[in-house]
Amino acid sequence: MSALAPSEARALAVRLLSRHGFLPQAENARGDTLYLAHPDEDWLLRVSNHARTAKQRARRRDILTSLVIREPRTPAQVEALVAAALRDFAAERRRRADQPSAGESRK
């Protein structure tokens, strides 16, 4: 199996995520980062060619996970990355649902 260029691998990842109900919501100005979400929720899954900085993570709390592809990947590798991103997204969504909201205390 031949490797896909990073941009092609990211496009494949977006297609695979769309099969799980994720739809594009926004793209950064450079076009190297795409934000996806389910239509009925505000949580985002980010597909990019670079990791977020600590400052970016602190500022954008609505991004539950990032799928970063910066090197050539085979389709099978992209499928594995997408599966991991879906698991991470679901786990983080559950974790945040279990947290008390601001002003609410745990009993």
Side-chain angles (χ1 to χ4, degrees):
M1 215 182 292
S2 63
L4 302 170
S7 61
E8 294 171 331
R10 286 190 301 277
L12 174 58
V14 170
R15 288 194 303 275
L16 294 172
L17 289 165
S18 72
R19 294 180 187 167
H20 293 274
F22 285 89
L23 301 174
Q25 301 298 307
E27 187 173 3
N28 72 350
R30 291 185 307 269
D32 59 5
T33 301
L34 187 63
Y35 301 90
L36 302 110
H38 284 117
D40 56 343
E41 66 182 23
D42 295 327
W43 300 118
L44 298 172
L45 191 154
R46 176 180 173 270
V47 178
S48 185
N49 70 352
H50 61 281
R52 294 188 298 153
T53 65
K55 185 176 180 181
Q56 290 169 322
R57 283 191 299 278
R59 194 174 37 215
R60 292 293 309 265
R61 303 285 300 147
D62 56 339
I63 300 170
L64 298 189
T65 194
S66 292
L67 192 166
V68 177
I69 301 175
R70 60 174 70 102
E71 299 169 357
R73 300 283 182 202
T74 66
Q77 289 172 320
V78 174
E79 289 176 11
L81 290 169
V82 166
L86 289 168
R87 281 191 306 271
D88 292 348
F89 185 90
E92 184 63 14
R93 185 191 307 143
R94 282 190 304 275
R95 186 185 73 77
R96 292 193 188 190
D98 290 342
Q99 290 179 344
S101 60
E104 181 182 319
S105 64
R106 287 197 183 259
K107 297 186 181 188

